[in-house]
Amino acid sequence: MTLERWRDITYWPLLAASLLFIVAYSWQVIADLQGTPYLIARVVMGVTWLVFVVDYLVRLSIAKPRGEWFRHHIFDLLVVSVPALRPLRLLRALTLLHVLQRTAGTALRSRIAIYGIGAAAVLIWIAALAVLESERGAPGANIENFGDAVWWAFVTITTVGYGDFYPVTGWGRFVAVLLMIGGVAVVGVVTATLASWVLERAAQGHEDQEPATRAQFRIIAEKIDELRGAPPGSTLADDEGPVPDGPTPRTS
Amino acid sequence: MTLERWRDITYWPLLAASLLFIVAYSWQVIADLQGTPYLIARVVMGVTWLVFVVDYLVRLSIAKPRGEWFRHHIFDLLVVSVPALRPLRLLRALTLLHVLQRTAGTALRSRIAIYGIGAAAVLIWIAALAVLESERGAPGANIENFGDAVWWAFVTITTVGYGDFYPVTGWGRFVAVLLMIGGVAVVGVVTATLASWVLERAAQGHEDQEPATRAQFRIIAEKIDELRGAPPGSTLADDEGPVPDGPTPRTS
Amino acid sequence: MTLERWRDITYWPLLAASLLFIVAYSWQVIADLQGTPYLIARVVMGVTWLVFVVDYLVRLSIAKPRGEWFRHHIFDLLVVSVPALRPLRLLRALTLLHVLQRTAGTALRSRIAIYGIGAAAVLIWIAALAVLESERGAPGANIENFGDAVWWAFVTITTVGYGDFYPVTGWGRFVAVLLMIGGVAVVGVVTATLASWVLERAAQGHEDQEPATRAQFRIIAEKIDELRGAPPGSTLADDEGPVPDGPTPRTS
Amino acid sequence: MTLERWRDITYWPLLAASLLFIVAYSWQVIADLQGTPYLIARVVMGVTWLVFVVDYLVRLSIAKPRGEWFRHHIFDLLVVSVPALRPLRLLRALTLLHVLQRTAGTALRSRIAIYGIGAAAVLIWIAALAVLESERGAPGANIENFGDAVWWAFVTITTVGYGDFYPVTGWGRFVAVLLMIGGVAVVGVVTATLASWVLERAAQGHEDQEPATRAQFRIIAEKIDELRGAPPGSTLADDEGPVPDGPTPRTS
């Protein structure tokens, strides 16, 4: 059993567990559950937690250089072991969607935009739930219902910060800090994607001034090979040997 | 009748309808109309709404792969069918101005700057109107006149967020969220345009170190063709066949 | 008399007038002058205003396509004709410093950084003065001394916006909007300059993967000329004729 | 004794002095020390201050063009001579970590991210300490304990600025301004690093369209040398003489 095989097998179960978790968590917090419904929601969340624990342990056991895998997955360990971090488990679902693979140019930018909007929406929803759970009933708190919590999350992630609502508990403030960091990252991704588009567009229209391409280089090389009387294909292949012009090493 | 032809025909009528709508909407909200003037403003807005509905239906009927056109114009459908979104109709006017076509370099940046300023101004005006209409008279509201609403819109779109004014109604907060997102986008566009300028300027002055251009490649190719004894023009054209050095595919 | 000659002649007088203006304006606002000192400060500001009016009229009279010059200097006209905009006159002093000319790479970035810091400092100082002048004594105002005004200007230009101080008068809010726009621009310039540096650094260290340079192209061209038996220097110059590899047209 | 040698010798002592300083400063401010413990903390801070003074003086005495070194290290002089700036001494520790040397591409971006997070964390910690020391006990102050001070620092550096806490003393506001500037820089670094990644990714996948590389140039040059009958290696070396294709001069 390899990590890739395990990932393929657990793709849909983990996605389902994530969705089940968020539904149960939303229900518990928004409806302010008490008694039996509260117990039901907690049991559902406990079961989805077990799914993530099992997934973590299996991956740890089949990873080949186990120490290295462990060091690269400290975040996963924190999320499954610290109860307070349980809402972050949903972010794991996002890492299951490998939407950024094998695209470039405008297609890549569209996917980054979609992915960024999705991540921001999940972050706002989770942060609103977590803050509301922490603040509701706390002395001096002003975030008392889910509508206000979502509004507060939007005001925070965009770094507007009116100050009409703000967390006063320690855990509520910790959630707020994660949301602010997410806001800085979202603004950064938006700007970076726009910058990529502007730069590409600004270089167009003066085709003479664009950098010579690798395809053009190959034409030159073939022409020279013809001059030398060598068959273009084979010689070119030999000569090209030392040139790493496939996926460049620095971007791997 | 093609979509292009329809767009040419409806260019000025739609622009006029957009302006008429914004004038009637501004008049209704700023003057807090009652009685007959209110009815007149509503009728004007109703007529401009009909113009947009007709435009949407005609475009839907003449679009060739109709399903695809429908999927790409969900936003248009929302704007014409949900009354609460009617102010967004004005943004449609902006998409009529194809100012970004066929420009590059500094000219492109100037146009992006002008377009960004225009979009921000329209967004601020519409948001101020929509928030004022929603907040005026609501219990606990603090945005009570148009001057305060415009000031609030500026404070929000730049993400400053003093908190001296903020919406308290659900619809007012929805408008505020759209404005905040607009603010993040405006900041992103400004930064991206500046980054494009800085990058281009930073690469200048050391002409030796700039990337070799496609025009330079063509000179090399011609030189080699001369060596081979072939007429430069025709052979070059043949050999260049496989090189897509016009508008690059990744940017289309 | 050409515009260039006039600019050289008036360089130091205009800089002196700008400094004199800001000193008199600062003195009037910070000390809240009354009586004779107030009159003195107003006279000094009036004289510096005359200097700018004369400069504007002379430039208008000697500009060759006068209509074009007029359209490109609407901002100058506003600053000299609208009394309320007089503090913006100092920004004219900044345009006198042509620090961005003929630099590239890290030197350019250093100059952009210095220029950006200077512009932000001038903007904060002017905005604090203008807001204090407008707010002091207004009903409901909370910016009542220069220290608070400078603090407010910093909180605004960085888009933090605590809301402990905010303008309540129309003119004070207009100044605040200009300051917020300046803040967005300053953040954009900082980010763009950093992005330029990161991009250049990220491309280094794998010299094999950097784009081929124009200098390298010239070596190839010379080698081929040698093969053809032509003297490298002269032939190269002839052949290079059509290649615009000096300052590129798209950046002019 | 050269500057490099001195830097190697003092690397660990200065790092230890920085850490000792921050521990003593944190202890003094957080525990609000009085009496003997206060004296102990002040003595420790005084000793670490002496270490920095000695380091500054030694470096000044062995620097070769001493005037130039002095002009480039005004910041160091301020930090060791103005008592109020003592917390900034810790930033000197960061400049000891030359983590950005000799990396490129994704490795560089990872290091920038780590370095940026580290700098932001140090800045937040120091600013919270300095603001708390200045605000505690001041009339009208609302930052009264370390938890609130850290929360305020996060709200400020991300430019959210709720306004639930804000400094009211002059020195507290000065610290806040430094923190805001740090916030703008942190947002800028995040955006720049993301932009670098997006741009590199957007150019991938269409290898034909990427700029021709310097390695490719060398292959062409060798092919032509073979045509001319010259030994490729040596001739190439001669001909390449004038091409500065190592680390480019504009980035030094």
Side-chain angles (χ1 to χ4, degrees):
Chain A
M1 174 79 77
T2 64
L3 273 177
E4 280 69 34
R5 178 118 179 70
W6 179 254
R7 202 181 294 140
D8 289 351
I9 292 173
T10 57
Y11 185 89
W12 291 109
L14 281 180
L15 211 60
S18 294
L19 289 176
L20 209 60
F21 171 80
I22 198 71
V23 168
Y25 188 46
S26 303
W27 183 45
Q28 183 219 316
V29 175
I30 296 175
D32 201 6
L33 296 183
Q34 309 291 343
T36 316
Y38 177 78
L39 283 177
I40 294 171
R42 299 300 299 199
V43 166
V44 171
M45 286 156 74
V47 169
T48 59
W49 173 66
L50 270 178
V51 171
F52 280 92
V53 170
V54 168
D55 171 60
Y56 178 81
L57 292 176
V58 170
R59 285 191 296 149
L60 181 63
S61 67
I62 62 181
K64 261 302 131 53
R66 197 170 296 165
E68 201 191 320
W69 189 91
F70 181 79
R71 279 196 306 280
H72 282 82
H73 293 75
I74 294 288
F75 179 75
D76 288 26
L77 177 61
L78 280 175
V79 168
V80 295
S81 58
V82 182
L85 292 175
R86 64 194 178 211
L88 295 178
R89 223 169 294 156
L90 198 78
L91 291 178
R92 170 110 175 72
L94 280 177
T95 66
L96 295 171
L97 309 164
H98 299 290
V99 294
L100 298 181
Q101 308 276 28
R102 285 180 216 96
T103 48
T106 298
L108 174 75
R109 282 192 288 270
S110 303
R111 296 210 176 179
I112 289 178
I114 291 167
Y115 198 72
I117 291 169
V122 167
L123 204 57
I124 287 169
W125 187 264
I126 291 178
L129 288 174
V131 156
L132 181 58
E133 189 183 22
S134 172
E135 297 284 312
R136 189 156 42 197
N142 48 44
I143 303 175
E144 297 278 357
N145 64 64
F146 190 62
D148 288 352
V150 168
W151 165 243
W152 164 82
F154 267 111
V155 170
T156 301
I157 203 173
T158 55
T159 78
V160 170
Y162 290 123
D164 48 350
F165 297 102
Y166 47 83
V168 297
T169 62
W171 172 240
R173 285 178 179 177
F174 176 70
V175 170
V177 166
L178 293 183
L179 193 62
M180 288 169 202
I181 293 168
V184 170
V186 165
V187 171
V189 167
V190 168
T191 305
T193 310
L194 285 166
S196 158
W197 178 81
V198 171
L199 281 167
E200 208 169 280
R201 283 285 285 105
Q204 275 175 20
H206 293 266
E207 193 262 343
D208 270 10
Q209 295 297 325
E210 287 193 66
T213 66
R214 294 186 186 178
Q216 288 180 318
F217 149 78
R218 279 193 212 94
I219 287 168
I220 295 273
E222 274 175 50
K223 279 177 196 286
I224 295 174
D225 282 343
E226 276 176 54
L227 263 181
R228 290 155 73 202
S234 59
T235 316
L236 188 69
D238 288 350
D239 285 355
E240 251 190 15
V243 189
D245 59 4
T248 63
R250 76 167 186 268
T251 61
S252 61
Chain B
M1 174 78 78
T2 63
L3 273 177
E4 280 69 34
R5 178 117 179 70
W6 177 255
R7 202 182 296 139
D8 288 351
I9 292 173
T10 58
Y11 185 89
W12 290 109
L14 283 180
L15 211 61
S18 295
L19 290 176
L20 208 60
F21 171 80
I22 198 71
V23 168
Y25 188 45
S26 303
W27 184 44
Q28 183 218 317
V29 174
I30 297 175
D32 200 7
L33 296 183
Q34 310 290 343
T36 316
Y38 177 79
L39 282 178
I40 293 170
R42 299 300 300 196
V43 165
V44 170
M45 285 156 74
V47 168
T48 60
W49 173 67
L50 270 178
V51 171
F52 280 92
V53 170
V54 167
D55 172 60
Y56 179 81
L57 292 176
V58 170
R59 285 191 297 150
L60 181 62
S61 66
I62 61 182
K64 260 302 131 52
R66 197 170 295 165
E68 201 192 319
W69 189 90
F70 180 78
R71 279 196 306 280
H72 282 82
H73 293 76
I74 294 289
F75 179 74
D76 288 26
L77 178 61
L78 281 175
V79 168
V80 295
S81 58
V82 182
L85 292 174
R86 64 194 177 207
L88 296 178
R89 224 170 293 156
L90 198 77
L91 290 178
R92 170 113 174 70
L94 280 177
T95 67
L96 294 172
L97 309 164
H98 298 290
V99 295
L100 299 181
Q101 308 277 28
R102 286 180 216 97
T103 47
T106 299
L108 176 74
R109 282 191 288 270
S110 304
R111 296 210 176 179
I112 289 178
I114 291 167
Y115 197 73
I117 292 169
V122 167
L123 205 56
I124 287 169
W125 186 264
I126 290 178
L129 288 173
V131 156
L132 182 58
E133 189 183 22
S134 171
E135 296 285 311
R136 190 157 41 198
N142 47 45
I143 304 174
E144 297 279 357
N145 63 63
F146 190 63
D148 287 352
V150 168
W151 165 244
W152 164 83
F154 267 110
V155 169
T156 300
I157 203 174
T158 56
T159 79
V160 170
Y162 289 122
D164 49 350
F165 297 101
Y166 48 82
V168 296
T169 62
W171 172 240
R173 286 178 178 176
F174 177 70
V175 170
V177 166
L178 293 183
L179 193 61
M180 289 169 200
I181 293 169
V184 169
V186 164
V187 172
V189 166
V190 168
T191 306
T193 309
L194 285 166
S196 158
W197 178 81
V198 171
L199 281 167
E200 207 169 280
R201 282 286 285 108
Q204 276 174 18
H206 293 265
E207 193 262 343
D208 270 10
Q209 295 297 326
E210 286 194 67
T213 66
R214 295 186 185 178
Q216 287 180 319
F217 149 78
R218 279 193 211 94
I219 287 168
I220 294 275
E222 274 175 49
K223 280 178 196 286
I224 295 173
D225 282 343
E226 276 176 53
L227 264 180
R228 289 155 74 202
S234 58
T235 315
L236 188 69
D238 287 349
D239 285 357
E240 252 190 14
V243 188
D245 60 4
T248 63
R250 76 166 186 270
T251 62
S252 60
Chain C
M1 174 80 78
T2 63
L3 273 177
E4 281 68 36
R5 179 116 180 71
W6 177 255
R7 203 182 293 140
D8 288 351
I9 292 172
T10 57
Y11 185 89
W12 290 109
L14 282 180
L15 211 60
S18 294
L19 290 176
L20 209 59
F21 171 81
I22 199 71
V23 168
Y25 188 45
S26 303
W27 183 44
Q28 183 218 317
V29 174
I30 296 174
D32 200 7
L33 297 183
Q34 309 291 343
T36 316
Y38 177 78
L39 282 177
I40 294 170
R42 299 301 300 196
V43 165
V44 170
M45 286 156 74
V47 168
T48 59
W49 172 67
L50 269 178
V51 171
F52 280 93
V53 170
V54 166
D55 171 60
Y56 179 81
L57 292 176
V58 169
R59 285 192 297 148
L60 181 63
S61 66
I62 62 181
K64 259 304 133 49
R66 198 170 295 164
E68 202 190 318
W69 189 91
F70 180 79
R71 279 196 307 279
H72 282 81
H73 294 75
I74 294 288
F75 179 74
D76 288 26
L77 178 61
L78 280 175
V79 168
V80 295
S81 58
V82 183
L85 292 174
R86 64 194 179 210
L88 296 177
R89 224 169 293 156
L90 198 77
L91 291 177
R92 171 111 174 71
L94 281 177
T95 66
L96 294 172
L97 310 164
H98 299 289
V99 295
L100 298 181
Q101 308 277 29
R102 287 181 216 96
T103 48
T106 298
L108 175 75
R109 282 192 288 271
S110 303
R111 295 210 175 179
I112 288 177
I114 292 167
Y115 197 72
I117 291 169
V122 168
L123 205 56
I124 287 169
W125 186 264
I126 291 178
L129 288 174
V131 156
L132 182 57
E133 190 184 20
S134 171
E135 297 284 310
R136 190 157 42 198
N142 48 44
I143 303 174
E144 297 279 356
N145 63 65
F146 190 62
D148 288 353
V150 168
W151 164 244
W152 163 84
F154 267 111
V155 169
T156 299
I157 203 174
T158 56
T159 79
V160 170
Y162 290 123
D164 49 349
F165 297 102
Y166 47 83
V168 297
T169 62
W171 171 239
R173 286 179 179 175
F174 176 71
V175 171
V177 165
L178 293 184
L179 192 61
M180 289 170 200
I181 293 168
V184 169
V186 165
V187 171
V189 166
V190 168
T191 306
T193 309
L194 284 166
S196 159
W197 178 80
V198 171
L199 281 167
E200 206 168 282
R201 283 286 284 107
Q204 275 174 20
H206 293 268
E207 194 262 343
D208 270 10
Q209 295 296 324
E210 286 193 65
T213 66
R214 295 185 186 178
Q216 286 179 320
F217 148 78
R218 277 192 212 97
I219 289 169
I220 295 274
E222 273 176 51
K223 278 177 196 288
I224 294 174
D225 282 341
E226 277 177 53
L227 264 180
R228 290 155 74 202
S234 59
T235 314
L236 189 68
D238 287 351
D239 286 357
E240 254 190 12
V243 189
D245 59 4
T248 62
R250 74 166 185 272
T251 61
S252 61
Chain D
M1 173 78 79
T2 64
L3 272 176
E4 280 68 36
R5 179 115 180 72
W6 177 256
R7 204 182 293 139
D8 289 351
I9 293 172
T10 58
Y11 185 89
W12 290 110
L14 282 180
L15 211 60
S18 295
L19 289 176
L20 209 60
F21 170 81
I22 198 71
V23 167
Y25 188 45
S26 303
W27 183 45
Q28 182 218 317
V29 174
I30 297 175
D32 200 6
L33 297 182
Q34 309 290 343
T36 316
Y38 177 79
L39 282 177
I40 294 170
R42 298 301 299 197
V43 166
V44 171
M45 286 156 74
V47 170
T48 61
W49 172 67
L50 270 178
V51 172
F52 280 92
V53 170
V54 167
D55 171 60
Y56 178 82
L57 292 176
V58 170
R59 286 191 296 148
L60 181 62
S61 67
I62 63 182
K64 261 302 134 53
R66 197 170 296 165
E68 202 191 319
W69 189 91
F70 180 80
R71 278 195 307 279
H72 282 81
H73 293 76
I74 294 288
F75 179 75
D76 288 27
L77 177 62
L78 280 175
V79 167
V80 296
S81 58
V82 182
L85 291 174
R86 64 193 179 212
L88 295 178
R89 224 169 294 157
L90 199 78
L91 291 178
R92 171 112 174 70
L94 280 177
T95 66
L96 293 172
L97 309 164
H98 298 290
V99 295
L100 298 181
Q101 308 277 29
R102 286 180 217 95
T103 48
T106 298
L108 175 74
R109 282 192 288 270
S110 304
R111 296 210 175 177
I112 288 178
I114 292 167
Y115 197 73
I117 291 168
V122 167
L123 205 56
I124 287 169
W125 187 264
I126 291 178
L129 288 173
V131 155
L132 182 58
E133 189 183 21
S134 172
E135 297 285 310
R136 190 157 42 197
N142 48 45
I143 304 175
E144 297 278 357
N145 63 65
F146 190 63
D148 288 352
V150 168
W151 165 244
W152 163 83
F154 268 111
V155 169
T156 300
I157 204 174
T158 56
T159 78
V160 170
Y162 290 123
D164 49 350
F165 297 102
Y166 48 83
V168 297
T169 62
W171 172 240
R173 286 179 179 176
F174 176 71
V175 171
V177 165
L178 293 183
L179 193 62
M180 288 169 200
I181 293 168
V184 169
V186 165
V187 171
V189 166
V190 168
T191 305
T193 310
L194 284 167
S196 159
W197 178 81
V198 171
L199 280 167
E200 206 169 283
R201 283 286 284 107
Q204 274 174 22
H206 293 267
E207 194 263 343
D208 271 10
Q209 295 297 324
E210 287 193 66
T213 66
R214 294 185 186 179
Q216 288 180 320
F217 149 79
R218 278 192 212 96
I219 288 169
I220 294 274
E222 274 175 51
K223 278 178 196 284
I224 294 173
D225 282 342
E226 276 177 55
L227 264 180
R228 290 155 73 202
S234 60
T235 314
L236 189 68
D238 287 350
D239 285 356
E240 251 187 15
V243 189
D245 60 4
T248 62
R250 74 165 184 270
T251 61
S252 62

